[in-house]
Amino acid sequence: MPEQSIRYSFGGDEHLFAEVSESMSLPAFFRGLEMTNALKAMKLPGVLDVCLANASFQIRFNPDRISPQTLLHKVKSLENQRGTAHYLDTRIIEIPVYYNDPWTHETLMRFRDRHQSPEQTDLEYAASLNGYGNIEDFILAHSHSPWFVSMVGFVAGLPFMFQMVEQEQQIEVPKYLTPRTDTPKQTVGHGGCFGCIYSVKGAGGYQMFGTTPVPIYDPQQSMPHLKDSIVFFRAGDIVKFRPIDRTEYGQITQAVAAGEYVLHTRSFRFDLQEYLADPESYKARIMEALYVN
């Protein structure tokens, strides 16, 4: 199957936008990853920022140092180069989640007038919309397979991720009709086919499924997993959600407050070609790498 042609457009005088694909897919992400890595390696004078997204990337440049057409020509020259971008040295990360917790529940109940189905909670709505008989089955489906972080943004440290399952198994649920003015920090949310973790308290429109006690953004860098950066997640990370109860939530919260919580992570070399050849076996390998010493 031939690759989709990349669509380019300029945003004002200082931005070049490249749409790799109209829909998110791992091949589209890896194609964008390869091109942005190659562009960074060129160290072109005048290129200020290169931002990779789900199935696109954007470049901010100084037009006084590099003309728009020269930059466009340089980027287009990278389209057909092929290196080792089907490999990605990344991390597998276990994120504990207290599903159906009282804090997101209290918040979502305050905003039922902005919801498609005011008589249901967000979990009940998502479960029924995706064909699950109850929220327990939905939570199992949400936490069973790993998720791939395809971009980080919107607010500092917020990861956008999609579940590594066949398209017909993808969880899909629309955002609120009107965004909320409040979302608790570290809420695990979902909108469209993308999951996220709200890194800070604030406005939001994704359905709220639960919360994690683990901070993913910390300007003070007080946690061991945030010593190297105030933002934890990186594009390419693989996330496995693990359901926890109120008791374990409290235990982890205490460890976080003491600066003693150690996030469970494993280094992993992800091979796109091997994953596409046999997704289920490869996901089993991911889980083995995460949980087997």
Side-chain angles (χ1 to χ4, degrees), residues 90-111:
T90 185
R91 306 173 294 182
I92 313 170
I93 304 155
E94 181 187 79
I95 296 293
V97 180
Y98 183 14
Y99 289 94
N100 203 21
D101 67 282
W103 307 286
T104 58
H105 180 81
E106 185 277 331
T107 302
L108 66 89
M109 293 305 294
R110 285 192 277 118
F111 293 96

Side-chain angles (χ1 to χ4, degrees), residues 36 57 61 63 72 104-106 117 125 140 146 148 157 204 217 219 236 259 267:
T36 53
F57 58 90
F61 63 97
L72 179 60
T104 58
H105 180 81
E106 185 277 331
S117 183
Y125 176 62
L140 179 63
F148 190 90
Y217 167 73
S267 298

Side-chain angles (χ1 to χ4, degrees), residues 105-173:
H105 180 81
E106 185 277 331
T107 302
L108 66 89
M109 293 305 294
R110 285 192 277 118
F111 293 96
R112 297 332 281 163
D113 60 328
R114 307 186 182 204
H115 198 273
Q116 295 89 341
S117 183
E119 70 280 3
Q120 295 178 295
T121 66
D122 291 8
L123 271 172
E124 290 169 342
Y125 176 62
S128 61
L129 200 63
N130 286 274
Y132 293 95
N134 53 61
I135 63 172
E136 290 75 20
D137 288 343
F138 177 80
I139 290 170
L140 179 63
H142 186 270
S143 59
H144 176 68
S145 290
W147 297 69
F148 190 90
V149 177
S150 54
M151 64 174 286
V152 179
F154 179 64
V155 294
L158 184 149
F160 288 89
M161 60 191 87
F162 68 97
Q163 198 167 23
M164 298 168 69
V165 294
E166 296 297 326
Q167 187 171 355
E168 59 272 15
Q169 296 177 297
Q170 288 283 348
I171 293 171
E172 293 191 36
V173 59

Side-chain angles (χ1 to χ4, degrees), residues 72-255:
L72 179 60
H73 175 75
K74 294 287 188 182
V75 175
K76 282 187 172 182
S77 72
L78 303 173
E79 282 192 32
N80 298 316
Q81 293 185 16
R82 285 296 177 268
T84 58
H86 59 93
Y87 291 110
L88 178 64
D89 289 315
T90 185
R91 306 173 294 182
I92 313 170
I93 304 155
E94 181 187 79
I95 296 293
V97 180
Y98 183 14
Y99 289 94
N100 203 21
D101 67 282
W103 307 286
T104 58
H105 180 81
E106 185 277 331
T107 302
L108 66 89
M109 293 305 294
R110 285 192 277 118
F111 293 96
R112 297 332 281 163
D113 60 328
R114 307 186 182 204
H115 198 273
Q116 295 89 341
S117 183
E119 70 280 3
Q120 295 178 295
T121 66
D122 291 8
L123 271 172
E124 290 169 342
Y125 176 62
S128 61
L129 200 63
N130 286 274
Y132 293 95
N134 53 61
I135 63 172
E136 290 75 20
D137 288 343
F138 177 80
I139 290 170
L140 179 63
H142 186 270
S143 59
H144 176 68
S145 290
W147 297 69
F148 190 90
V149 177
S150 54
M151 64 174 286
V152 179
F154 179 64
V155 294
L158 184 149
F160 288 89
M161 60 191 87
F162 68 97
Q163 198 167 23
M164 298 168 69
V165 294
E166 296 297 326
Q167 187 171 355
E168 59 272 15
Q169 296 177 297
Q170 288 283 348
I171 293 171
E172 293 191 36
V173 59
K175 296 187 288 186
Y176 276 44
L177 295 174
T178 305
R180 301 175 303 275
T181 56
D182 185 23
T183 307
K185 179 176 66 173
Q186 294 157 209
T187 290
V188 175
H190 199 95
C193 67
F194 283 98
C196 80
I197 303 174
Y198 285 83
S199 54
V200 296
K201 178 181 174 66
Y206 277 24
Q207 307 288 333
M208 296 185 289
F209 295 163
T211 186
T212 177
V214 180
I216 61 171
Y217 167 73
D218 179 18
Q220 283 72 47
Q221 297 179 256
S222 57
M223 295 303 301
H225 63 277
L226 288 160
K227 291 297 184 185
D228 295 332
S229 173
I230 64 174
V231 168
F232 177 67
F233 281 107
R234 303 190 292 258
D237 281 338
I238 298 171
V239 173
K240 175 64 172 63
F241 293 124
R242 180 174 64 85
I244 59 174
D245 59 16
R246 179 67 178 266
T247 299
E248 186 172 0
Y249 180 90
Q251 293 169 345
I252 296 175
T253 299
Q254 289 180 352

